Amino acid sequence: CPYVAENGQERFKRKYDHDLNHENRMLETLLYHSKQDSRYITELRAALRETGLLPESPVEVEYKVKDSFKNTAFFKYGLVFANKRVEKSREDVTQMENRIRMQEHSINLSSSKGRIYSLFDEHVEKDEPKPSFSRRLLLKEVPLNILFGAIDSFEMLKFDLLKSRYPNLKSKTEFLTSSDYVGDNVLLINTLEQHVSGAELFEAVKTAMAKIADYVGRITQEYEGTKEFTPSPVRSVVKDKKRLFNAISDSGEGVSQSQASPELALNIQNEDWFVYEDNFGTSEEKAFVKYFHSLIPELREAYDEIYLIRNERLTEFAIYDFGTGERFEPDYLLFLRRENASGYEQEQIYIEPKGDHLLEYDRWKEEFLLRIEAEGIPRKIYADNHDYKIIGLPFYNRGHQSEFSEAIRSKLLPNQA
């Protein structure tokens, strides 16, 4: 799975195991055939199950969008907003990082004189003598022809690659001699003889360049999430989806919310605010939906339309952290709309239920969510008189439900808070 087919995906990671409808799933599907030998296929499947590559009893569920929702104006003409991941510019990088810019390279050069030992000389000391002379010089003090010869030995130090890492670099000469790059790198050359030949100096510089090339090669492209959120049609994002679960248990993933334990059970088939016919999420997600159901009477007093959409792995909808560009698929999207003089106001709210075991691990997601309202900007649509607002809420957690409740009331129900 080395490919990246969609923005934000990781290389060398399976991407479509749980999305049975996606056309790219074929790229990650093993097809095998054994003519007139069903035993081979049976044994192969058993081996895959033993290694964990094939689940014992996979469960397939279908998230179907309600027909009543498909008939709404919001589904036909509404907009959903998300930001994009872009490459972080290095235009303001004017020098290498200090740890490589001030690097010291200690290099031991063996003697240029050969030594001959007899096969039968049992008592001859065969260890090379230790270097007794040291010479210290800066890279920028080495003749340019030696520097150029050494740097040309490394693919990662070709000028076009250096330029991609350091856009303000003007030439190879600047890279090799400027204090802003590697000119002040120190060569500490230890030798047996006082004089260092040109060939030995070349080898010493190559040794230093190998370390520099390794450092440059490990500079990876950094990303960031845009603060402008661009619109897409709701109908292009919210679709019927099939999901495959490796196993189901109790009230967790794969279990219908109507069949969950009493404290989580809710028949949402006839609830017009929930977009899909059922909810098969985790127990924490089901707890959120059950809690949200209790807010509906108050929300109806403040808004004309209420739509809660199950998102993760269903709508192919993702947002990207402002600082790192890391991909994030909030579990739920909540849309609240009310009419005004020029059209309507729409609030799009990102919601992420989170179990206790993931609260700290995914803390960056909550921090990102809480920045969206102040920093995220919905792109203004030409000839569109509607008002759009995007909001992120803190994690929903059953053990800290009061904190979430306070946030949702202060932001969405200020008159009832």
Side-chain angles (χ1 to χ4, degrees):
C1 318
Y3 55 86
V4 173
E6 300 169 17
N7 188 25
Q9 288 181 337
E10 297 180 37
R11 291 186 180 276
F12 308 108
K13 182 177 181 180
R14 295 180 66 87
K15 304 163 182 69
Y16 305 106
D17 281 339
H18 302 282
D19 188 347
L20 304 187
N21 301 90
H22 206 292
E23 59 184 8
N24 288 346
R25 193 167 186 269
M26 183 62 70
L27 299 175
E28 300 175 350
T29 301
L30 172 65
L31 303 177
Y32 49 88
H33 173 68
S34 181
K35 185 177 181 180
Q36 296 178 343
D37 189 357
S38 60
R39 177 183 175 185
Y40 168 74
I41 293 179
T42 300
E43 292 178 349
L44 178 58
R45 292 180 66 86
L48 289 173
R49 280 194 294 271
E50 290 177 7
T51 58
L53 294 176
L54 190 66
E56 289 285 347
S57 53
V59 176
E60 180 181 315
V61 301
E62 184 174 12
Y63 277 88
K64 289 186 65 67
V65 181
K66 292 175 180 175
D67 290 337
S68 58
F69 177 70
K70 292 180 180 179
N71 291 327
T72 64
F74 177 66
F75 177 78
K76 296 176 181 177
Y77 311 111
L79 299 174
V80 54
F81 290 82
N83 67 340
K84 297 179 180 179
R85 189 182 80 154
V86 296
E87 293 183 355
K88 188 177 291 186
S89 172
R90 291 178 61 87
E91 290 298 327
D92 58 345
V93 177
T94 58
Q95 60 179 203
M96 296 189 80
E97 293 70 19
N98 286 339
R99 61 174 175 167
I100 193 66
R101 199 160 51 89
M102 311 298 291
Q103 183 86 349
E104 182 174 294
H105 309 272
S106 182
I107 302 153
N108 294 328
L109 295 178
S110 60
S111 172
S112 59
K113 295 182 179 179
R115 300 181 66 189
I116 300 176
Y117 300 100
S118 167
L119 178 64
F120 303 102
D121 290 341
E122 296 179 359
H123 303 293
V124 175
E125 179 62 52
K126 297 183 181 182
D127 291 338
E128 285 284 343
K130 295 182 179 179
S132 56
F133 297 95
S134 293
R135 182 179 178 185
R136 185 185 182 90
L137 73 162
L138 303 178
L139 267 181
K140 63 186 179 185
E141 297 171 345
V142 176
L144 275 176
N145 64 314
I146 293 179
L147 292 176
F148 285 151
I151 197 174
D152 287 343
S153 302
F154 299 94
E155 193 68 29
M156 286 308 306
L157 297 181
K158 300 297 184 185
F159 182 70
D160 58 338
L161 291 174
L162 288 174
K163 186 75 172 176
S164 69
R165 270 67 171 181
Y166 303 100
N168 293 292
L169 181 66
K170 297 179 178 62
S171 65
K172 283 199 299 184
T173 300
E174 182 184 21
F175 181 76
L176 292 165
T177 62
S178 171
S179 299
D180 289 332
Y181 296 96
V182 298
D184 285 343
N185 269 222
V186 176
L187 299 179
L188 185 60
I189 304 174
N190 306 305
T191 64
L192 294 173
E193 301 177 16
Q194 190 169 4
H195 176 70
V196 178
S197 68
E200 289 174 323
L201 186 56
F202 175 74
E203 290 302 320
V205 174
K206 276 188 64 176
T207 301
M209 288 298 169
K211 296 179 182 178
I212 295 169
D214 179 66
Y215 176 83
V216 172
R218 286 187 281 109
I219 299 175
T220 57
Q221 177 62 57
E222 296 181 331
Y223 297 88
E224 60 187 353
T226 63
K227 293 191 176 180
E228 182 180 62
F229 284 62
T230 55
S232 298
V234 170
R235 64 181 181 277
S236 70
V237 172
V238 182
K239 302 176 181 178
D240 295 345
K241 278 294 183 77
K242 291 182 180 180
R243 277 206 58 188
L244 188 66
F245 295 95
N246 292 343
I248 60 173
S249 60
D250 300 330
S251 299
E253 283 193 304
V255 176
S256 165
Q257 180 132 19
S258 63
Q259 299 174 3
S261 55
E263 71 273 12
L264 301 177
L266 179 66
N267 187 347
I268 53 180
Q269 177 71 40
N270 297 321
E271 300 289 346
D272 60 358
W273 49 268
F274 198 82
V275 165
Y276 287 98
E277 292 185 353
D278 207 340
N279 178 34
F280 300 94
T282 65
S283 58
E284 201 71 32
E285 293 169 25
K286 291 185 175 76
F288 161 70
V289 173
K290 187 74 174 286
Y291 162 77
F292 184 79
H293 177 249
S294 69
L295 296 177
I296 292 299
E298 295 175 77
L299 289 170
R300 290 202 191 281
E301 294 180 13
Y303 300 94
D304 298 310
E305 298 175 71
I306 304 168
Y307 303 110
L308 183 64
I309 300 174
R310 174 77 169 88
N311 171 50
E312 189 240 0
R313 293 180 182 170
L314 295 178
T315 63
E316 299 174 11
F317 175 92
I319 52 180
Y320 301 90
D321 182 76
F322 293 142
T324 65
E326 192 162 356
R327 182 183 175 97
F328 174 29
E329 301 170 1
D331 286 335
Y332 289 91
L333 298 175
L334 172 61
F335 293 88
L336 303 174
R337 309 213 306 178
R338 55 187 162 210
E339 297 181 1
N340 60 23
S342 59
Y344 59 78
E345 300 173 10
Q346 173 177 305
E347 295 179 6
Q348 176 178 320
I349 302 98
Y350 308 98
I351 299 174
E352 177 81 355
K354 191 67 61 178
D356 291 337
H357 63 297
L358 293 173
L359 284 176
E360 286 304 318
Y361 179 79
D362 283 340
R363 184 63 62 191
W364 70 269
K365 295 181 179 179
E366 184 175 52
E367 293 172 353
F368 172 41
L369 287 173
L370 296 179
R371 294 176 60 186
I372 289 177
E373 183 177 6
E375 301 178 43
I377 305 171
R379 178 186 287 180
K380 184 65 178 176
I381 311 302
Y382 179 72
D384 187 339
N385 294 324
H386 309 307
D387 295 324
Y388 299 96
K389 186 176 183 179
I390 51 178
I391 301 171
L393 293 177
F395 285 160
Y396 171 85
N397 176 270
R398 278 181 282 182
H400 302 86
Q401 184 169 294
S402 59
E403 298 175 16
F404 181 86
S405 179
E406 181 179 347
I408 201 170
R409 288 181 178 279
S410 64
K411 294 179 181 297
L412 308 182
L413 295 167
N415 295 332
Q416 286 94 331

